[in-house]
Amino acid sequence: MKRSVILDVDTGVDDAIAILLALNLPQLEVKAITMVSGNVHVDEVTESTKTVLGLTDYHGIRLGKGSSVSLRRKRFHAPEVHGKDGLGNIRKRYDTYKARIRTERAVPLILETIKRTKIPITIIATGPLTNIARAILKDKRTMRCVKEIISMGGSFEYRGNTGPLAEFNYYVDPDAADVVARSGIPLTVVPLNVTETVPLKREDIIRLTGKSNTLTARFIYDVTKFYMDYHKKVESFNGGFMHDPLTVVIAAIPSIVKKKIQRTMLVETGGIYTGGTTLTRDAKGREKHAPVVSIVMEINRQKFWITFRKYLFT
Ligand code: RIB
Ligand code: CA
């Protein structure tokens, strides 16, 4: 039985690859894609998502533009990682492919899709959770029909990538992450702890695109260059973490998960240096009333790469 999904993205480079993967994986049926500010402003996210969709058979998919600002925090983007356009500054090379698709509003589209779809919807969120939180705040009853939210975010007793401890998506909108965690909707968190175990190396891309000269392969080759140059400078490896593609594969093939723990999740919504940090307990054990979420702590990397290659490069 296919999983009916809504993708909520902040199209950046790894989101773009995640979208292509989600549309190719037979286990998923993408009903809608909603867009949120994150890697870049939601205006850029919208244009970039349409460009990515234009490379695929996107018919029947609805598009919803969401929030340009977080629930409370000031706007924060990462053009140094994903380029000003969110696609490694190569979007204009693919302008001719851009999907001609109506752009609706994200929150009403999320709620309508949940109401209209017979089987419960899974939301795969690869950006800040602002749209999902706004949908919960607007109509919690409908949102409680969601089968599962699978969110790329957080970092647990591990390093951050935005400040010393915080992961980007939850740093950008910690209040939204807290609203989603406390909503009672089943939440599976895919943190840096696992997403940083799947770095795609430049040499792999060159080998894979050498063998499979498809439009998708050429796009991935182009779109990852800027992202990988950033990692070469900052992470001292010539490649890029596949945070969002891994999150999509976990939704499509849950058996890829080797270890998942149930823990309370506390999100730091205040703090000057610690905003967005995620904890599983606090010092005094006061987290009794905190929400329990599933946290993916280990995945089958070989299975991920086999799936990645099969659905993007053949
Ligand atoms: O921290 C990594 C996450 O933040 C990824 O989803 C990346 O696309 C950015 O949104
Ligand atoms: Ca993302």
Side-chain angles (χ1 to χ4, degrees), residues 8-16 39 82 125-128 152 167-169 243-244:
D8 189 72
V9 297
D10 64 330
T11 306
V13 174
D14 60 329
D15 301 76
N39 289 317
H82 296 268
T126 60
M152 191 280 134
E167 177 280 325
F168 179 84
N169 288 333
H243 307 287
D244 299 341

Side-chain angles (χ1 to χ4, degrees), residues 143-204:
M143 289 300 284
R144 291 292 294 258
C145 302
V146 167
K147 175 185 170 75
E148 182 181 17
I149 297 172
I150 302 176
S151 162
M152 191 280 134
S155 177
F156 297 88
E157 285 91 59
Y158 181 72
R159 70 175 195 159
N161 63 3
T162 311
L165 292 170
E167 177 280 325
F168 179 84
N169 288 333
Y170 291 8
Y171 175 87
V172 167
D173 199 341
D175 303 277
D178 193 47
V179 164
V180 174
R182 293 178 188 280
S183 68
I185 302 167
L187 173 63
T188 298
V189 177
V190 183
L192 292 180
N193 306 61
V194 281
T195 64
E196 290 196 347
T197 67
V198 283
L200 175 61
K201 297 191 187 76
R202 190 75 198 154
E203 66 197 58
D204 296 337

Side-chain angles (χ1 to χ4, degrees), residues 284-302:
K284 298 213 173 15
R286 287 168 300 199
E287 72 278 4
K288 284 183 285 307
H289 308 297
V292 175
V293 302
S294 299
I295 304 173
V296 176
M297 292 306 281
E298 199 183 341
I299 52 107
N300 180 327
R301 288 187 289 170
Q302 192 192 15

